[in-house]
Each structure stands twice: as C-alpha cells, then as structure tokens.
Amino acid sequence: MAEATTTVTVRDLGAQGMVTLRGDLADETLIKAVRKVTGLTVPGQRGFRRGKSGAVAWMSPDELLLLVPEDKAGSAVADLDRALDGQHHLAVDVSDARAMFAVEGPFAREVLAKCSPADLHPDSLPEGEIRRTRLGQVAAAFWCEGDGIWRVIVFRSVAGYAQALLERSARDGAVGAF
Amino acid sequence: MSTRLAQGGRLIDRSRQVSFTFDGKTFRGHPGDTLASALLAGGQVVMGRSFKYHRPRGAVAYGVEEPNALVNLGEEGRFEPDTRATTQEIFDGLVAESQNRWPSLDWDIGAVNSLFARFLPAGFYYKMFIHPRAAWKHLFEPFIRRSAGLGRAPRARDADRYEHFYAHVDVVIAGGGVAGLAAALAAGRSGKRVLLVEQSGHWGGRAVVDGARIDGKEAADWVADAVAALDAMPNVTLRTRAMAAGVYDHGYVLVHERLTDHLADKSGLRQRLWRVRAGRIINAAGALERPLSFAGNDVPGVMLASAMRDYLVNHAISPGDRTVIVTNNDDAYRTALALHEAGLIVPAVLDARPVADGELPERARAAGIRVETGRAVVRVKGRSHVTGVEVGLHVGEGSVLEEIACDAVAMSGGWSPVVHLWSHCGGKLNWDEAQAHFRPDPERPPLGADGTGFVRCVGASNGHLRTGDGIADAVAGAAWATGADAGKAPAGEDADEGALMPVWLMPQGAGVKLRAKMWLDYQNDVKVSDVQLAAREGYESVEHTKRYTTLGMATDQGKLSNINGLAVLSGALNAAIPQVGTTTFRPPYVPYTLGAIAGSAARETFMPLRKTQMDSWHVEQGAEFEPVGLWRRPYSYPRLGETVKDSVAREILNTRKNVGILDASTLGKIIVKGPDAGRFVDMMYTNMMSNLAVGRCRYGLMCNEQGFLVDDGVVARLSEDTWLCHTTSGGADNVHAQMEEWLQTEWWDWQVYTANVTEQWGQIGVVGPNARKVLEKLGGMDVSKETLPFMHWAEGELAGFPVRIFRISFSGELSYEIAVPAGQARGLWDAILAAGAEFGMQPYGTEALHVMRAEKGFIMIGDETDGTVIPQDLGLNWAISKKKDDFIGKRGQQREHMVDPLRWKLVGLETEDGSVLPEGAYAVAPGDNANGQRNVQGRVTSTYHSPTLGRGIAMGLVERGPDRMGEMLEFGAGADPVRAKIVDPVFYDKAGEKQDG
C-alpha cells in the first residue's frame, strides 16, 4: 500500500502541438516523413515513442498522433503534405482539439485504473505504450513517461470533466493493487 | 437472556470499549464485535420484527445470510435501511434502530396480523385485492404499502464518496476461508496475478472456529502463516470486507469492497466497486447451514448451530444458560461441545436420526451431554424469547413426550454449498443424495469465450465439507486455474462425521397446526403451510411458487430458505428434489449500495459537460443554458429584469435589424480526404457533393439505410481531394462513426480518410444586416458580396486571427460563420464583440436561432424529423439527386410506404387568432380509429411565437399537406380546438434577398 502522505497530482499542460496522420504506416515515404518531422521511427501496435522535440503514438493500424512543439503543428502538417504529395494520406492539425494532463505520483497508475477499463498493470502497460480508451464517460488516451509519470489527452470540450475526475480519483488515494 | 462470558472471544479486544445506540438505548461492545454480537452481549435478543406478521425476531445467523436482524443504520446522509446487524461491525457513535415495528420493538401494533395469520395465506394479496379494480390503486395499495416494507428510505443526499477500480487478473478467488487461502497460495506460487477477496473482516472462515488442524498446526496459526505468505507475494492482492458479488460473461467479476463502514471516521472513501476481468474464477465461498422446520423455529433464541458457535468462539457470547441442540447431522455436536466447554448447560441434543454414533456424538456423550436420537422438537415455547421446547418422536405426529426448559435452541439441518458465483453464468448443479444438497456439476460449468468452463467451485462450495477434502480440492482448483503444477496440498484434519439424514419437516408427521408455525423464509414470513398450499393450488414450478408465496424474495434472497422451501414443495408434489429444481441464482450475492454502482459518477463528475471556449463568457453574461447532446449551449442571454421570453424576442429582433453573434462552436466538423472522397461524400449525402467546386458550400442531407433523414449540414470543398462536412451539434460522433463503419466494412478498398475535427475549431456566427460592416471593421479579409458571395467560403486572417469564413445562413440574414482554431476562439469572440458594439451587436442563443430558422422554414433535425421522416416528406426533393446511381437511403426511400401519396408532409401552420399552437399537437380528422381513438391527419413539429411577425408560427407534417394550401385544420380534440390554416412554411423573406446582403 502506498503511504497516505504521498499524493498524485493532476496538471493541465496547456498547449501542445498535435498532428493526426493517417496513411499506410508501413510505407517508406511515410516513415521517412515522420522521422523528418519528429526524428522518430513509426512505433508498432499500441506503441509510443518519445524523442527530444516530439513524440509519435500509434493510434490505429492507419493512424498516428505526432506530438510536436506548440508552434510547429502547422509547419509539421505542411512538411508531411509536401513529403507525401501525390500519395493517399491525411495530415491535420488537431492541437486545439485536445487538452493534455500530467498525472504524476506514486499511484498514478491506480488513479487511471479507477477511470479506465484498460489493463494498467505494469506488465500489461509498460512505458513505451499508449492506450486509447475511456476515462470515466469520455474518450481518452494515455501513456507512461517514466515511473509514476503519465500523460493523458482528452477532447478539449471535456477537459473540465476529465480534470475533475482525475483529481477526485487522486484525492481518494491509492488502492494498493499494483 | 444472552450475555457476554468472562473469558474467550477470539475476535474481540476486551481492553477497549465501543459505545453505540440501538433504538435510542446505549450499548457497549468491544472492537471486533458486530452489531449483532454486541447486542447479544447486552442481552438484546429481539432485533427486529418480521415483514408480514410483525413477529419478534432475533439473529438466527452469523453472516450475510441473516434474514431477521436488519436495522436502520446511521443518520442523515449516512442513513441506510436493511443493514444486517450480523455483518455490520460496531464503531463508536454507531446509531441503529429496529425496523418494521410501531410504536416500539417490544410492543408492536402490527403484530395483530399474527392473530389473523390463517386469513393471510400465500397469495393472499392476489386473491383478496383483485376486485374491485379501482380499489387497488386508491385503497388497498396505499394501506399495504404503509403496513408492509422494512426499513425507511433515506431522505438526505448520500454524504459519502465511492469509486470504481478496474483490475485485470489471471485468477480471482472468492472466499478467504482455508480453501480460498490454500488455492491462493498454490495459485500465487505460479506467478500468476491473483486477487483473493473475503467478504468479512477476517480470514479463515469456519475452520478457525471449528478447531480444524492443518499441516499439524491449529487452523488459526496456519491461517496467519498463509496470510503472511500471501502478503509477501507481489503478484497476489488480498482484500477483506470485499464481497465477490457477481460473475458475468467474459470473466467479468464485480467485487464490492467496504472501506469505512466499520469505522467511526467516515472521512475516507466509503466503498469501492472492483470491476475485474479474470482469466479464471475460483469460488471458495463455503457453505451455509440450513434451519430445521419445526414449529416456533423463528422464536428469538433459536439460532443456527454454527452461528451460535461463532458468537461463542469469536465474541464470547452465551446464548443463555441452557441450550437445546436439535440436529440431523454430526456437525451440530460441535456447538454442544463448545457450549459445554464454556461451562454452559446443554440439557439435551435432540437428534432426528435413529442412530448417532460418529466421533462427535460420542465425544458429546463422553462429556456427559444427554443425546436423544429419533427425537424432534415438536414446538418451541416462548413468544419474544425461548423458554423451552416440547420434545417428541421425529417419526411421530407431534405428541409431546417431554418438555425441556431452556433459553436457546441451536438447530442444524445440514449444509448447502454457496454456488451462486458458479450459477450466475449458467453453471449447473447436481443433487447430492448423501449430503442432501445441490453441488456444482463439474461436467456443466459456465462456459467462457473459449468454450471451456471459467468458474470452478472448491472446498465446501463444491460439496467438500471436511477440511482435508476441501483443501485438497482447492489446490486442485488452483492447478486448473493457473495451468501450473500446484504442488502438494496442505493436510487438513478434523473429526470424522457420520451420515446426515435429510429432514424437511419436524416431526415428519406434523399436522397443519404445527406446519403453520414452521418458518421457511423468516423475512417474508413464508411457512411450510404456505408452500404446501401453493402446491395444492396447482403450483408445480419452483419459480412460480417462489413468486406466489414470496419465498426467497426478501433481501437475503432465500439464502436460508430456498433449499428447505423447494424440498417442502417437492414433498407436496410427490416429486424428487432434483425434478423440482432450484430457482435461478442472480447477482449480486449480497445486495450493495447504489452509491458503489454509481462510483465517481456523482456530483461534479456525474456526467461530462462539453463546454466551448466561450463558455465562461456565457456564464459571465448570465446566460440560460440548455443541453444539446452533452454540450451546454446558451439558450438566451436575459438582461437584468428581463424574462427569458423577452430576451429571446429581443435577440431575434436585434439580429434581424442590426447584428447578432452566435457561438456555433458545437457544430460537428469532419474532414473527408482522398482520391475516392468525392465518390464517398456522394454516397453519404442524398445530393451531389462530388461536383461542388473548391471554395463553395452546399447544404446536404444524410439518411440512414432505411431512407430516414438523420443529419444535415453544410459541406464545403476545401481542395481537390478534401471536403469538410458540417454536422448537427449532437451528431458529429455518430456521423463520424457511420462514415468509418462504411469505409472499414463495406468500402474498405476506397481511398478515403476521415478525421473528426469538431473540437479543433471554434465557430462564431456573425448574423444580421450589419454583419459585413463588423467584419470589414475587423479587417484582413475581403468579405464583400463579390469576393465572398453566398454559399462560398474563404481562408485568411481576420483581425490577425487565422480563420475560415463560410457565407452560410441559418437565419435568413446576411451571415458569416467564422471558424478559428479553438484556442484562439475566445480572443476572436472578444474582438468581434468590440468591433460590433457600434453596430448594435448582441449575442443570441439557441432559442433565437430556432425561431429564426423556423421563420425561414428551415427544418431542424429532431424537430421535423423523428426517425420516421424521409427528406421527401419535408419538401427537400431538391436536395435528393436524381443523377446518382446510389446513396445511403436511396433504396429505402423507394419502398411502397415511402412513396405513398397520403404521407404526412411539411407545411406551415398559421393560427386563426395568431396564438402559438401547442407543441406536438395533433390535427384531428373526422371519426374514430379501430381503437376508438380520434382520427388524426397531421401534427405540429415546431411552434414558436415569432417576434418578427408578431404572431404564432408553426411547422407541421400534414396528410397531403402541400396540396391543401389554405385549408383550415383543427388542433386538439377538446372543447376548444385551435384552428390553423395550412400555409407555405417560409414565413419570412420568401425571396431570400436578405441572406444575400
């Protein structure tokens, strides 16, 4: 059981550049374009890769989410469109569509497991994987960026609900299951 | 009188006192006491009254199976009725009151029912109150509701907090007795993820009370070692006060955990509902002892033999100086021996069997306890407390051979395995003749997705009542659940037991007078005579009998009564018990709170509220909100002293005269892109979208496969291969899901990608004759009629904000809808308001939006449509392409009924007197239909007061409506029907000059 004195905090991380890229994830041109924009290779199923200036998350068999600096989403879309010109794809800036939270603390996993039916056991959801799932009653995605360090994204309109839910779940303490 | 003994009580801490009240009287107990044990310690044997006859009742059991000792617990926001005193642990300040009594527990006016018991037989309510029909509602039901019922309903809002927790494990083990612990040890050693839950606050179950030995140790010591070993395993999670409530498909298990119910400090989370996905489920829930059916078996002081032993060993409770034991098996002798060892008197053990020569009876005889075989309790003496028993032959009819004075009676009718979790998903049972109980049939388990059984019962719940057998069975269960070698099972030892003799009626020849005092279901006052009456009246199915007599329908769900009841039924029907069968076991095993079910979905997180970036501004303006899907949108912005009706009118007039501003951010926005995108949008919309020029907008309709209109909106072509589809505010998610479904399942080879970008953009409507002036003042883009004509869009910068401007209108006025990245939407909103001030700009809400669209005859999805309306009904034929080979809904619209000339079609309606037609009102037609209802020929779909026209306007669907212009219709069939004329649905600016600015 975690100590009562330790807490999990929930923080709104503010603006974050985000680009949805749909296309053939096995295609060499696309892989090169993603590397050019983020410096990262395309992750496998449910994978998440973090680099110095960005990150790439696997969202579905034909969709990636690219995290880029706040002011770089527009140019990232332009770069992707240029690199994939003439090739079927969709790159769109979704930075404004989302809210992103940091959920951090010793039982952050359990805070998320109170809200999401995803398997949050460390063996099942290690660092380097993302889950698209639900958080209470809204769609969400989250991944681990280190021991007790989690990132959660939800749609912008429900940021208030998501924050209240995460804070409430954090306030009610550790479960002691993981 | 019951009391506390000076020695013993393995669970209580005598060094500390806990004080609580029961019916206003203060009692004291020790930590480790339940409410029932503490009341018994204080001499309070009567704890409640029964449901129907208001008979005084005491605790008959020790755990969750208790039917009698239910209390109203707590106060205000923590008030909870029907709390079992046997499972509620005491804490300082606990407040409990007895239920179902008036004016007091000792003297209850409802007990008069008991005198009329022979007039209140099974099915009494059904028989008595069927005529006259009206009397049920007005006379009988209110009376019955007052006199029946158990606890009171809480009045205050729940003061506590609850949560859910999702866990994924390989093995769930339900029950922390020695079988569950042995299974957990074996499963834990395999390295698999194991969750072991125990409903009570203590590990070890019966073995620690009954003195079993395991691996040469006292059971209690073995249990302590096992728990310590399990605690040390990182892959094992242990929980007490956690009840496995139900097993559902796909290995889904609900576990209800109580965190503060036993504490005086209620500040923490009260309860947690574990939502578990388990690979395999081991049910180690043990077995429940059955009462015996003899006359007066409900008199306070009559208790299950095992329960009496629990109170004695765990809490040092003496049930009274003299206790008679009545049994059909050897196990009850443990109670006799325990009482004897505690220095209490056991005047006799009445054993229904002709012979009792097992190890335990012999030990009892050796201890000097009088053992009488072939004997029965004919009748218990005493009303509110046992004073003695009349003894007779078990094979007899009830002649009294002897009376024995006593203070308590311990009864045992054998044990029933707790098979609930096995049965919830369809596990089947076999009748075990030797032990007289139903036990799981291993050949017919509940089947999981892989076609194999996913639940297994072990130990007593599998019919293995002896310690050694039960533990061995549990270890075998662990091997099954983990697929690993479970190793050698710990060796359990206990006394050898002789055979049980089934006893369903005591004495077996008891006459009707005795049978009418033999309780089967204590809580619902169902007696042996009631079940027999049901059989005589033709009830053969146990499920029907249950409902007719209410057997097993109380809050204990028949944990004590079901097997006895169906045995009595089978006896009355002359059918074997397995032929009669059991009733269905349904979750939850024990009822739990609605709060736990709701979890965090309470108060501020009750449900998500979608807010736009302008939401805080709307709040500051004092807007009245309305829900649109999960969005909240401003309905109107009433000013100080203004009614909402007035503010709506003001907003409309101002928009039509000057300029209004609307938060349209909730509008759905979906990008469709790819080489086949044109072909795709042509399929999704009824009209042609592929030929829309880049830079242009077009209004489109979406239907489902049946042809019914489901969504509408403006489509803009962004580039050669990209379309932007606007949907209704509530519709974006559904439309997007529909698009993806078609693309992924039917047209998987089409090259199309979609993205729901609804939330990427804030959208602001600038609407009214002054709209262009406002935008020109903001500057940055040419918004002139020539450069940006109606139904065009343009991209650029407006006052420095990156925007897309759509020249579309839902109000009939000159209108610009401006999309801006959501993060900058509030900034642009403020800039527009500032620029618009000099042009008379005011915000308007959704109601003004609705009225203005109705004035223009524009339809609204959900008003003019209800899932049965096709676009042709709404005069939208112009938006249905005749050129296209196909679109979703085309074939549906060609069905016979869809082309019926008598279909109700859209028209405008103008009342004769200018009043507003009632919403949803029907236009009546002459005559009645086959059901004797008035014929109708149309109905109102939208109706408003139009401030623009100064009168009521409405739209409606009317049979052949467009062919009947000028005809009068009558709405409402009352004395005062409203007369309205069929008119064109466009009430305002028919020529459409205003929207062109």
Side-chain angles (χ1 to χ4, degrees):
Chain A
M1 285 268 235
E3 298 302 315
T5 49
T6 59
T7 56
V8 169
T9 57
V10 178
R11 217 156 18 95
D12 188 338
L13 290 171
Q16 163 71 52
M18 290 190 207
V19 174
T20 286
L21 175 63
R22 297 191 69 177
D24 177 357
L25 304 190
D27 178 76
E28 281 304 322
T29 320
L30 182 140
I31 292 168
K32 259 172 71 184
V34 170
R35 184 178 297 142
K36 182 157 178 278
V37 170
T38 62
L40 296 164
T41 53
V42 171
Q45 193 173 34
R46 298 190 302 275
F48 179 88
R49 294 208 172 126
R50 160 69 74 191
K52 277 201 285 289
S53 62
V56 184
W58 183 95
M59 299 295 268
S60 83
D62 63 3
E63 184 177 337
L64 298 176
L65 178 67
L66 313 184
L67 301 188
V68 297
E70 185 202 342
D71 53 349
K72 293 283 190 291
S75 61
V77 169
D79 288 347
L80 290 166
D81 280 341
R82 205 172 310 116
L84 295 168
D85 187 31
Q87 184 170 333
H88 178 42
H89 76 283
L90 169 62
V92 58
D93 180 357
V94 291
S95 315
D96 289 74
R98 311 265 169 79
M100 183 157 149
F101 296 98
V103 180
E104 296 177 359
F107 60 94
R109 270 185 194 276
E110 293 190 337
V111 169
L112 294 172
K114 294 178 184 190
C115 308
S116 163
D119 184 353
L120 274 136
H121 192 283
D123 296 347
S124 307
L125 181 41
E127 198 177 330
E129 283 200 20
I130 184 169
R131 287 292 177 278
R132 291 180 76 180
T133 173
R134 105 185 135 67
L135 198 74
Q137 300 167 58
V138 299
F142 47 68
W143 62 91
C144 179
E145 295 210 342
D147 218 13
I149 300 170
W150 288 79
R151 297 291 178 264
V152 179
I153 49 179
V154 298
F155 284 113
R156 186 177 194 120
S157 66
V158 291
Y161 166 83
Q163 182 157 8
L165 184 67
L166 289 167
E167 282 174 349
R168 170 191 178 123
S169 301
R171 193 163 58 238
D172 284 332
V175 176
F178 296 144
Chain B
M1 280 273 280
S2 57
T3 186
R4 179 98 68 190
L5 298 170
Q7 256 91 49
R10 52 181 286 276
L11 296 183
I12 54 169
D13 174 5
R14 289 183 190 261
S15 67
R16 288 195 291 141
Q17 287 226 334
V18 174
S19 159
F20 66 97
T21 67
F22 177 73
D23 283 346
K25 190 176 152 196
T26 298
F27 285 80
R28 283 187 181 76
H30 297 297
D33 264 325
T34 63
L35 181 55
S37 70
L39 287 172
L40 288 170
Q44 181 73 44
V45 176
V46 177
M47 297 184 196
R49 284 189 177 258
S50 68
F51 182 72
K52 193 163 153 188
Y53 303 130
H54 292 238
R55 286 172 68 92
R57 292 280 167 79
V60 67
Y62 182 74
V64 297
E65 70 274 32
E66 173 60 35
N68 290 335
L70 306 181
V71 297
N72 289 320
L73 192 80
E75 293 170 301
E76 300 293 317
R78 296 201 163 86
F79 175 87
E80 195 160 282
D82 297 341
T83 305
R84 279 169 298 277
T86 53
T87 56
Q88 175 61 50
E89 295 162 72
I90 58 165
F91 51 83
D92 261 317
L94 178 148
V95 175
E97 60 175 20
S98 56
Q99 298 182 165
N100 209 29
R101 84 298 186 270
W102 187 81
S104 79
L105 190 56
D106 295 335
W107 194 84
D108 178 87
I109 207 160
V112 73
N113 283 2
S114 207
L115 303 177
F116 300 106
R118 66 195 194 88
F119 304 114
L120 288 168
F124 168 74
Y125 293 133
Y126 300 122
K127 291 167 184 160
M128 185 64 206
F129 297 119
I130 195 146
H131 295 293
R133 285 283 181 187
W136 172 253
K137 186 174 171 194
H138 300 293
L139 183 64
F140 302 139
E141 190 185 351
F143 173 76
I144 290 166
R145 284 203 185 280
R146 261 203 303 278
S147 65
L150 290 165
R152 284 186 286 117
R155 287 173 180 280
R157 181 179 197 159
D158 193 333
D160 280 307
R161 302 162 67 81
Y162 305 81
E163 71 181 16
H164 291 175
F165 184 73
Y166 294 89
H168 298 249
V169 299
D170 297 309
V171 187
V172 163
I173 301 170
V178 293
L181 290 167
L185 283 169
R189 281 194 292 266
S190 75
K192 301 269 186 177
R193 281 187 223 163
V194 177
L195 174 63
L196 171 63
V197 295
E198 160 57 37
Q199 65 185 356
S200 78
H202 306 281
W203 299 105
R206 290 226 57 81
V208 291
V209 173
D210 291 349
R213 295 181 69 81
I214 301 167
D215 275 351
K217 289 185 250 189
E218 292 282 339
D221 296 335
W222 183 86
V223 166
D225 292 349
V227 171
L230 290 167
D231 258 333
M233 294 184 187
N235 57 318
V236 177
T237 303
L238 300 168
R239 292 284 148 150
T240 53
R241 300 187 183 91
M243 181 260 309
V247 169
Y248 307 81
D249 287 341
H250 301 281
Y252 186 48
V253 183
L254 291 179
V255 175
H256 179 247
E257 183 181 14
R258 294 170 292 126
L259 299 165
T260 61
D261 286 352
H262 62 297
L263 302 176
D265 177 3
K266 303 288 186 196
S267 60
L269 188 76
R270 181 184 175 206
Q271 294 171 352
R272 177 181 294 127
L273 190 66
W274 291 61
R275 304 174 69 168
V276 186
R277 289 281 171 192
R280 291 284 180 270
I281 297 155
I282 293 179
N283 178 41
L288 294 175
E289 196 169 23
R290 295 190 296 256
L292 284 165
S293 298
F294 51 81
N297 62 352
D298 72 324
V299 175
V302 179
M303 211 181 259
L304 291 169
S306 60
M308 195 174 285
R309 209 149 73 226
D310 288 329
Y311 287 112
L312 175 66
V313 176
N314 290 336
H315 308 279
I317 299 299
S318 156
D321 295 354
R322 296 161 61 86
T323 301
V324 167
I325 315 285
V326 53
T327 183
N328 64 347
N329 63 72
D330 280 3
D331 183 58
Y333 286 84
R334 291 196 168 94
T335 304
L337 289 163
L339 290 166
H340 179 77
E341 279 156 27
L344 297 165
I345 297 168
V346 177
V349 178
L350 306 174
D351 195 323
R353 298 174 296 181
V355 180
D357 54 5
E359 185 181 338
L360 290 163
E362 292 306 339
R363 269 165 56 188
R365 287 188 183 100
I369 296 171
R370 176 184 167 201
V371 175
E372 295 282 349
T373 54
R375 291 290 187 273
V377 168
V378 172
R379 198 168 67 86
V380 173
K381 302 186 75 174
R383 281 192 56 79
S384 63
H385 196 278
V386 173
T387 58
V389 292
E390 296 175 348
V391 181
L393 289 177
H394 175 58
V395 296
E397 295 169 37
S399 302
V400 179
L401 304 176
E402 180 189 359
E403 279 189 29
I404 302 176
C406 61
D407 312 301
V409 176
M411 61 181 166
S412 177
W415 291 80
S416 297
V418 175
V419 295
H420 297 63
L421 298 181
W422 167 266
S423 300
H424 285 166
C425 271
K428 298 290 185 276
L429 306 172
N430 286 332
W431 178 252
D432 181 326
E433 284 290 346
Q435 302 195 102
H437 61 210
F438 282 102
R439 62 193 291 188
D441 178 356
E443 301 302 315
R444 295 180 294 163
L447 299 180
D450 61 359
T452 67
F454 70 103
V455 183
R456 180 154 161 171
C457 292
V458 302
S461 76
N462 198 23
H464 295 288
L465 300 178
R466 298 284 304 282
T467 309
D469 299 344
I471 291 177
D473 187 43
V475 173
W480 163 82
T482 58
D485 179 18
K488 195 165 160 288
E493 309 157 58
D494 50 21
D496 200 17
E497 287 182 37
L500 155 151
M501 182 181 82
V503 171
W504 308 118
L505 202 59
M506 177 180 262
Q508 68 182 36
V512 65
K513 234 181 136 174
L514 291 174
R515 296 201 305 264
K517 292 290 177 197
M518 295 177 185
W519 264 261
L520 290 169
D521 185 316
Y522 291 81
Q523 198 176 127
N524 274 356
D525 275 329
V526 181
K527 299 153 296 170
V528 167
S529 56
D530 294 319
V531 172
Q532 289 171 330
L533 176 65
R536 284 203 302 281
E537 290 182 343
Y539 284 86
E540 292 179 2
S541 148
V542 63
E543 296 282 4
H544 292 163
T545 304
K546 165 180 169 172
R547 282 150 184 85
Y548 188 58
T549 60
T550 71
L551 176 83
M553 287 171 67
T555 62
D556 60 333
Q557 290 284 289
K559 288 187 178 67
L560 294 186
S561 62
N562 273 351
I563 301 298
N564 284 350
L566 75 91
V568 168
L569 180 65
S570 75
L573 296 170
N574 279 321
I577 286 175
Q579 261 80 70
V580 174
T582 63
T583 52
T584 310
F585 295 88
R586 291 195 177 84
Y589 175 57
V590 179
Y592 55 92
T593 56
L594 291 170
I597 293 170
S600 61
R603 298 193 172 83
E604 79 279 11
T605 46
F606 170 63
M607 66 186 295
L609 197 57
R610 298 178 76 180
K611 296 176 182 175
T612 73
Q613 295 310 298
M614 278 69 92
D615 185 80
S616 56
W617 188 87
H618 304 321
V619 172
E620 284 159 27
Q621 300 303 308
E624 289 282 324
F625 287 97
E626 72 164 342
V628 180
L630 290 178
W631 292 102
R632 73 165 181 186
R633 299 192 67 182
Y635 179 87
S636 183
Y637 302 84
R639 291 175 172 173
L640 206 62
E642 202 177 34
T643 65
V644 173
K645 199 177 156 213
D646 291 344
S647 68
V648 169
R650 171 179 53 72
E651 290 165 14
I652 293 166
L653 293 172
N654 185 67
T655 301
R656 295 235 184 269
K657 183 166 160 252
N658 297 313
V659 61
I661 181 169
L662 173 78
D663 180 1
S665 306
T666 59
L667 213 62
K669 306 158 200 90
I670 299 167
I671 301 262
V672 177
K673 180 175 185 254
D676 293 313
R679 190 179 167 197
F680 177 68
V681 286
D682 275 350
M683 289 301 290
M684 297 306 297
Y685 287 92
T686 60
N687 40 348
M688 194 72 99
M689 289 296 176
S690 56
N691 65 358
L692 184 65
V694 174
R696 299 288 296 265
C697 303
R698 184 172 292 162
Y699 174 72
L701 305 173
M702 278 188 183
C703 295
N704 58 20
E705 286 169 274
Q706 291 75 40
F708 298 119
L709 184 55
V710 293
D711 210 273
D712 69 346
V714 169
V715 177
R717 189 161 185 179
L718 299 184
S719 70
E720 201 45 48
D721 69 349
T722 309
W723 279 255
L724 170 62
C725 304
H726 288 112
T727 76
T728 56
S729 284
D733 289 338
N734 282 335
V735 170
H736 186 230
Q738 278 297 307
M739 286 180 170
E740 281 295 328
E741 177 164 355
W742 285 105
L743 285 171
Q744 290 177 30
T745 63
E746 294 292 328
W747 307 319
W748 49 271
D749 53 339
W750 293 15
Q751 292 199 311
V752 181
Y753 285 128
T754 69
N756 184 352
V757 295
T758 301
E759 303 235 8
Q760 170 69 13
W761 302 92
Q763 198 129 323
I764 300 167
V766 179
V767 179
N770 294 339
R772 187 174 288 127
K773 292 180 205 156
V774 177
L775 267 57
E776 279 167 352
K777 186 178 171 198
L778 286 163
M781 280 176 76
D782 183 352
V783 293
S784 67
K785 193 172 179 174
E786 295 68 32
T787 313
L788 186 54
F790 185 53
M791 296 309 270
H792 282 62
W793 68 272
E795 201 163 43
E797 280 204 356
L798 191 67
F801 291 89
V803 296
R804 279 190 198 131
I805 303 181
F806 303 88
R807 264 294 307 279
I808 53 182
S809 177
F810 198 39
S811 58
E813 298 300 330
L814 172 65
S815 165
Y816 296 85
E817 283 204 11
I818 306 161
V820 57
Q824 301 175 55
R826 177 65 197 272
L828 179 60
W829 177 268
D830 290 344
I832 294 172
L833 278 171
E838 66 175 284
F839 302 104
M841 178 176 273
Q842 291 176 18
Y844 68 93
T846 51
E847 184 63 0
L849 166 98
H850 283 141
V851 176
M852 287 192 282
R853 67 90 196 170
E855 289 173 343
K856 275 294 287 179
F858 292 144
I859 63 133
M860 176 69 78
I861 299 291
D863 284 340
E864 275 63 45
T865 70
D866 64 356
T868 70
V869 173
I870 57 175
Q872 290 86 340
D873 296 339
L874 302 177
L876 294 169
N877 303 61
W878 59 267
I880 304 167
S881 171
K882 307 237 173 359
K883 285 186 275 180
K884 293 196 291 188
D885 287 340
D886 201 7
F887 58 81
I888 295 169
K890 184 179 171 98
R891 194 163 173 278
Q893 289 166 3
Q894 291 164 352
R895 288 175 298 169
E896 199 179 345
H897 182 52
M898 298 301 140
V899 294
D900 184 347
L902 295 182
R903 279 187 77 80
W904 292 8
K905 295 196 171 187
L906 187 76
V907 292
L909 297 165
E910 228 174 68
T911 49
E912 227 175 15
D913 57 2
S915 65
V916 179
L917 277 168
E919 226 160 296
Y922 276 92
V924 295
D928 292 339
N929 68 15
N931 298 322
Q933 298 157 326
R934 184 68 187 266
N935 284 327
V936 292
Q937 55 180 326
R939 66 184 164 85
V940 173
T941 55
S942 290
T943 173
Y944 303 100
H945 173 75
S946 163
T948 314
L949 304 172
R951 53 169 298 136
I953 59 165
M955 286 193 271
L957 293 165
V958 175
E959 185 179 306
R960 295 183 299 107
D963 301 336
R964 298 165 63 186
M965 286 295 154
E967 275 187 40
M968 294 301 290
L969 294 173
E970 284 190 1
F971 286 85
D976 252 337
V978 184
R979 286 165 57 81
K981 188 164 69 174
I982 301 177
V983 297
D984 188 284
V986 184
F987 293 94
Y988 176 75
D989 187 27
K990 174 84 177 161
E993 286 159 352
K994 297 198 179 269
Q995 65 196 13
D996 220 12

